[in-house]
Amino acid sequence: MVLFSLVATHADIDLETVAQLSTGASGLATSALAGSPAVAGAVVLATCNRLEIYGEAPHPDAVAAARAALISQISGASGLNDQIVSRAFSTRTGAEVSQHLFAVSSGLDSAVVGEREIAGQVRRALIIAQHEGTASSGLVRLFQAASKTAKDVGAQTALGSRGLSIVSVALDLATDLSENPDWSAKKAVVFGTGAYAGATMSLLRERGCTDVHVYSSSGRAAGFVATRGGNALDEDTLPAAVAAADVMIGCSGSDSRVEADELARIRAHSPQPLIAIDLALTHDFDPAVGDLDGVELLTLESVRLAAPQEQAESLEQASSIVSGAASAFEQERESRSVDTAIVALRRHTMNVLDAEMEKVRARHGCTAAAEEVEFALRRMVKQLLHVPTVRARELASNGQQDAYVAALEALYGITVEPSAGATAAGAPGSAAACPVDHNVVDPGAGGHGSGGHIPGAGHIPGAGDIRETA
């Protein structure tokens, strides 16, 4: 299995294109898995300034087909042709996948460097994929490691300690543009009831703004304000609230937006200026509202340009933590990749041992002498398999697992099947013919059941533990 990712972010393309690509993102993972055998798992991370798809393919040669399937799905949902969609996404494989996701989750790739909201979005992306059944085991480990890395960056560095976020920077800009910086005297209208709307409500409250109204085109405003405060608006009460507002903040990204001519009509007799903050990727406000008299429009691009730079030392520390975590994740993943080969070697060896023991029993019967021979052979096999097992881990950690698999085929004629499971190396097939409790026989007693214990015989290679260490 191989991990890959398709990445489209504010760093490479404009936010309008990101918004278009994100159309239909909620159903992308499910449809991709159903539509292509090359996609064995998928998690979609869609935020206000990025669309990233993390996938798992059955083998490296399947990545191109998996990418093509995802591009086709995105094209169909967004209405953009395949070529435009394909150019918008960069493709990562191998160590680049974990390095990028860990940096994203830690806020190093955000428009506001060090912001903490992205860590929650990464966690939610995994939860959604698990709920929908699209998260493979490899992707679950990847996203869990990314969340742990984000926590480590937050705990061990000063990055993000100021609590900066896209919302906080936007409100700072609004304060600078206001004739009266006192938020307790402002009336605000918030569009939306999602994560950004929740963060906006919290920050408005921190700044002393208590006159807050919330509108949702989906009708969820009442439930939203019941737990967060504020007043719910509907289509009938929205115009009057907008007319009286000092600030309106768009966080919904719904299909219906406030048009410039409509806003001009509603505020025709409003004496106070209006600051419109559009944090929705698909725009809650017509960009032309910025051309209206008495209206200042702030967008995600405004926020990105105004975001302060974090201290170089904190960035360096955070980058070091991310790199170390990504390296450790890849080493652990490489180590897992030889498990199947280890199981195949143990199965092969145990099959040889079982065949020889069949000959011994055919000649001597199920006697104490035969049991003594079996104990000795199993202990010897365990010792013989120790070094090849250790070498497999070492080679995998250096990315040389293919050499190990090739050696097994050249030396033993063993073909390693990708689907081989850890339990396939189970107990010898002859156990039913001569059941023996290998943990309680004393070889010196001349029989079985005498309560002795053979050092080293209590863990038989091939008995289902593919992580054995000597």
Side-chain angles (χ1 to χ4, degrees), residues 196 225 236 407:
Y196 270 121
V225 301
D236 294 330

Side-chain angles (χ1 to χ4, degrees), residues 149-236:
T149 302
K151 290 180 180 178
D152 290 342
V153 168
Q156 299 175 32
T157 76
L159 192 67
S161 60
R162 287 184 287 167
L164 292 177
S165 67
I166 289 175
V167 177
S168 68
V169 173
L171 295 184
D172 287 343
L173 282 174
T175 302
D176 294 339
L177 291 171
S178 299
E179 295 179 358
N180 180 8
D182 182 7
W183 281 90
S184 65
K186 296 184 186 301
K187 297 179 180 179
V189 175
V190 175
F191 291 76
T193 55
Y196 270 121
T200 299
M201 294 291 285
S202 296
L203 288 171
L204 286 173
R205 189 163 51 248
E206 287 179 12
R207 295 174 186 234
C209 183
T210 57
D211 193 346
V212 182
H213 300 261
V214 178
Y215 172 76
S216 170
S217 59
S218 61
R220 291 194 289 263
F224 181 81
V225 301
T227 57
R228 293 173 175 82
N231 304 293
L233 298 173
D234 56 26
E235 291 186 1
D236 294 330

Side-chain angles (χ1 to χ4, degrees), residues 49-410:
N49 56 7
R50 70 180 68 248
L51 175 62
E52 301 186 0
I53 303 99
Y54 291 82
E56 190 163 19
H59 50 80
D61 293 340
V63 172
R67 184 185 195 278
L70 288 164
I71 293 299
S72 178
Q73 293 282 352
I74 296 169
S75 175
S78 66
L80 299 172
N81 68 54
D82 284 6
Q83 290 184 340
I84 293 177
V85 175
S86 183
R87 286 196 299 268
F89 285 95
S90 61
T91 305
R92 291 170 169 79
T93 57
E96 291 182 344
V97 176
S98 57
Q99 179 73 32
H100 177 74
L101 179 59
F102 291 7
V104 168
S105 184
S106 301
L108 300 185
D109 194 60
S110 297
V112 178
V113 175
E115 57 108 353
R116 308 305 299 166
E117 291 165 354
I118 185 63
Q121 292 167 328
V122 169
R123 288 194 299 273
R124 285 192 293 274
L126 175 60
I127 291 171
I128 291 171
Q130 289 177 307
H131 178 73
E132 295 177 347
T134 66
S136 62
S137 59
L139 290 171
V140 170
R141 287 192 292 271
L142 174 69
F143 272 72
Q144 288 176 341
S147 292
K148 181 182 182 302
T149 302
K151 290 180 180 178
D152 290 342
V153 168
Q156 299 175 32
T157 76
L159 192 67
S161 60
R162 287 184 287 167
L164 292 177
S165 67
I166 289 175
V167 177
S168 68
V169 173
L171 295 184
D172 287 343
L173 282 174
T175 302
D176 294 339
L177 291 171
S178 299
E179 295 179 358
N180 180 8
D182 182 7
W183 281 90
S184 65
K186 296 184 186 301
K187 297 179 180 179
V189 175
V190 175
F191 291 76
T193 55
Y196 270 121
T200 299
M201 294 291 285
S202 296
L203 288 171
L204 286 173
R205 189 163 51 248
E206 287 179 12
R207 295 174 186 234
C209 183
T210 57
D211 193 346
V212 182
H213 300 261
V214 178
Y215 172 76
S216 170
S217 59
S218 61
R220 291 194 289 263
F224 181 81
V225 301
T227 57
R228 293 173 175 82
N231 304 293
L233 298 173
D234 56 26
E235 291 186 1
D236 294 330
T237 56
L238 176 63
V242 170
D246 301 288
V247 180
M248 66 178 189
I249 306 170
C251 310
S252 74
S254 65
D255 294 335
S256 57
R257 67 178 185 179
V258 177
E259 299 294 338
D261 55 354
E262 180 185 14
L263 182 62
R265 178 181 58 79
I266 291 173
R267 293 186 58 88
H269 303 293
S270 300
Q272 77 280 15
L274 174 70
I275 298 176
I277 305 174
D278 197 346
L279 300 180
L281 187 58
T282 53
H283 292 314
D284 279 339
F285 311 141
D286 178 0
V289 304
D291 298 327
L292 299 177
D293 291 338
V295 178
E296 288 281 357
L297 176 64
L298 301 177
T299 65
L300 285 170
E301 184 64 16
S302 308
V303 173
R304 187 184 69 81
L305 293 174
Q309 295 295 316
E310 292 291 330
Q311 293 181 354
E313 182 179 355
S314 296
L315 283 174
E316 185 176 348
Q317 291 175 342
S319 297
S320 177
I321 292 172
V322 166
S323 296
S327 177
F329 175 83
E330 290 303 319
Q331 287 181 3
E332 191 268 346
R333 179 172 168 78
E334 295 290 1
S335 178
R336 284 177 179 269
S337 70
V338 294
D339 284 351
T340 302
I342 293 171
V343 169
L345 176 59
R346 292 186 178 189
R347 182 191 301 111
H348 170 82
T349 307
M350 295 308 299
N351 286 340
V352 172
L353 184 151
D354 290 341
E356 292 303 312
M357 283 308 304
E358 286 294 337
K359 296 176 184 178
V360 171
R361 293 190 186 97
R363 189 168 185 177
H364 300 286
C366 188
T367 63
E371 292 170 7
E372 292 299 334
V373 171
E374 182 172 1
F375 288 136
L377 287 177
R378 290 189 184 282
R379 185 162 49 186
M380 180 185 70
V381 166
K382 177 180 178 179
Q383 293 172 351
L384 289 175
L385 287 174
H386 171 63
V387 172
T389 299
V390 172
R391 287 294 294 151
R393 305 288 186 213
E394 292 174 347
L395 290 168
S397 67
N398 293 323
Q400 297 176 283
Q401 63 272 19
D402 290 343
Y404 185 84
V405 173
L408 291 184
E409 185 171 357

